[in-house]
Amino acid sequence: MRKLCPNIDKEDGLETVLEVPIPEEMFKSMGSNATLRWQNMLTWMRAQTSDKWSAPIIAGRLNELRFLLYLVGSPLIPLQVQLGHSIHRPVKDCSIQASTAKYIVQQYVAATGGQAALNSVQSMCITGEIKISGSEFQQSDENIEVRKSTEELGGFVLLQKNPDLWCIELVVSGCKVICGSNGKLSWRHSSNQQTPISKGPPRPLRRFLQGLDPRSTANLFLDATCIGEKIINEEDCFILKLETSPAIREAQSGPNYEIIHHTIWGYFSQRSGLLIQFEDSRLLGMKTKGNDDVFWETSTESVMEDYKYVDGVNIAHSGKTRVTVFRYGEQSANHKRELEEKWKLDEVNFNVWGLTNESFLPPPA
């Protein structure tokens, strides 16, 4: 990935280190030769100024990119992942389905490096590249093809100390989104957006559960039940299901919206023990200005691939996420949209020195 860029202030100055690296593919698409690419990249960077954001065409494009980055690039999970040093839970008085799930989770821990290796990870820093594409909203229940012509390239930097202490920065086609949690609240903001920072209760980032944080994933599914088997990409998998409790849904709801239900599924390979697919479905009810109820139903499916060991921990280094969004209500026609993200890790580092709680504070309002 490209980590350096031209100096904006001095043409003959030293190159600037990018806060968020961009894919080499994105850099190569900026021109036919190195000189032209540098010139176009410099022009692109200079264009990211606030006086350009108010133009209707640019503002509309930035709104679309923000929608993609919020919904696909940085969605949250309305659950509290309790991190303990042991993933062993007593199976006494458990149902067969619940005790089976605990056994599958233990096999998953072993497949990702073992409990000692997972407990040794106190923090992480991950950089990677993403490709995001999406359809338009369609007033139909039929299947929608995600238009490949709308594919947007970008990169991300992800920091974490625990499930409620994290920060992610994503840059896609000139739009930058920053999301995080400092343990007391979660927040999100776009550097191209002249609006206050959005804040809410602390929640873990869904991306960690896509094969990046095995310890959080194991703790999440300890309370699940095994509901059957399914073949995913020619792999026989066990299906673990987890329902969000009413108390958690109420705590994660806000003054203008209510989480009506949220269900999570994990598909664990019977052969390797690894998490192959992660799904969740959420129904959100919102009150409009006219006091009408509008419902948003979001179904997200992530497939994890290319598991590799980093310092004794086996994590997924690539994958694909597909999101289906339904919007309906009394005064809102039924609309459907499908989004897709392909991601690939570039660099993974554990136990990062100098990472403190101040690293996860929201930007000043």
Side-chain angles (χ1 to χ4, degrees), residues 115-254:
Q115 187 173 330
L118 302 191
N119 287 341
S120 70
V121 177
Q122 302 302 316
S123 62
M124 68 175 70
C125 176
I126 296 175
T127 60
E129 59 183 77
I130 55 176
K131 297 180 181 180
I132 298 180
S133 54
S135 70
E136 301 292 340
F137 267 117
Q138 303 287 337
Q139 194 168 340
S140 170
D141 292 330
E142 298 177 0
N143 291 332
I144 300 172
E145 279 294 324
V146 175
R147 295 182 303 163
K148 298 303 180 185
S149 59
T150 64
E151 193 169 69
E152 307 282 357
L153 303 179
F156 67 89
V157 174
L158 179 58
L159 301 173
Q160 186 209 42
K161 284 196 75 173
N162 66 52
D164 284 338
L165 209 61
W166 56 268
C167 180
I168 183 171
E169 295 186 44
L170 303 102
V171 174
V172 171
S173 300
C175 180
K176 182 177 181 180
V177 165
I178 309 172
C179 304
S181 172
N182 64 359
K184 298 179 180 179
L185 58 87
S186 60
W187 48 270
R188 59 175 42 177
H189 182 63
S190 170
S191 60
N192 312 95
Q193 190 175 20
Q194 305 302 304
T195 57
I197 300 171
S198 300
K199 298 180 180 180
R203 289 179 285 175
L205 184 69
R206 187 186 190 277
R207 190 175 293 275
F208 288 120
L209 304 173
Q210 295 170 196
L212 303 187
D213 186 353
R215 186 166 59 147
S216 294
T217 303
N219 279 276
L220 177 70
F221 281 104
L222 273 179
D223 296 321
T225 57
C226 182
I227 62 171
E229 303 176 15
K230 186 176 181 179
I231 297 177
I232 303 291
N233 292 339
E234 300 182 355
E235 287 266 4
D236 292 323
C237 296
F238 293 113
I239 309 172
L240 301 192
K241 180 180 179 181
L242 184 66
E243 291 281 1
T244 306
S245 69
I248 292 178
R249 294 200 304 268
E250 182 179 355
Q252 298 289 346
S253 297

Side-chain angles (χ1 to χ4, degrees), residues 237-289:
C237 296
F238 293 113
I239 309 172
L240 301 192
K241 180 180 179 181
L242 184 66
E243 291 281 1
T244 306
S245 69
I248 292 178
R249 294 200 304 268
E250 182 179 355
Q252 298 289 346
S253 297
N256 299 318
Y257 65 92
E258 175 189 8
I259 300 176
I260 299 172
H261 81 73
H262 190 265
T263 308
I264 293 173
W265 297 268
Y267 298 83
F268 294 82
S269 169
Q270 298 181 14
R271 177 183 59 84
S272 67
L274 296 171
L275 179 65
I276 302 298
Q277 185 165 302
F278 180 77
E279 294 180 12
D280 73 299
S281 177
R282 182 183 66 177
L283 179 61
L284 197 70
M286 301 185 68
K287 289 287 185 181
T288 64
K289 292 182 179 180

Side-chain angles (χ1 to χ4, degrees), residues 264-315:
I264 293 173
W265 297 268
Y267 298 83
F268 294 82
S269 169
Q270 298 181 14
R271 177 183 59 84
S272 67
L274 296 171
L275 179 65
I276 302 298
Q277 185 165 302
F278 180 77
E279 294 180 12
D280 73 299
S281 177
R282 182 183 66 177
L283 179 61
L284 197 70
M286 301 185 68
K287 289 287 185 181
T288 64
K289 292 182 179 180
N291 210 32
D292 297 318
D293 288 324
V294 176
F295 299 95
W296 290 80
E297 186 173 3
T298 307
S299 299
T300 309
E301 174 187 294
S302 298
V303 177
M304 283 71 75
E305 301 171 341
D306 195 21
Y307 273 89
K308 296 178 184 177
Y309 280 94
V310 177
D311 296 339
V313 180
N314 198 6
I315 65 172

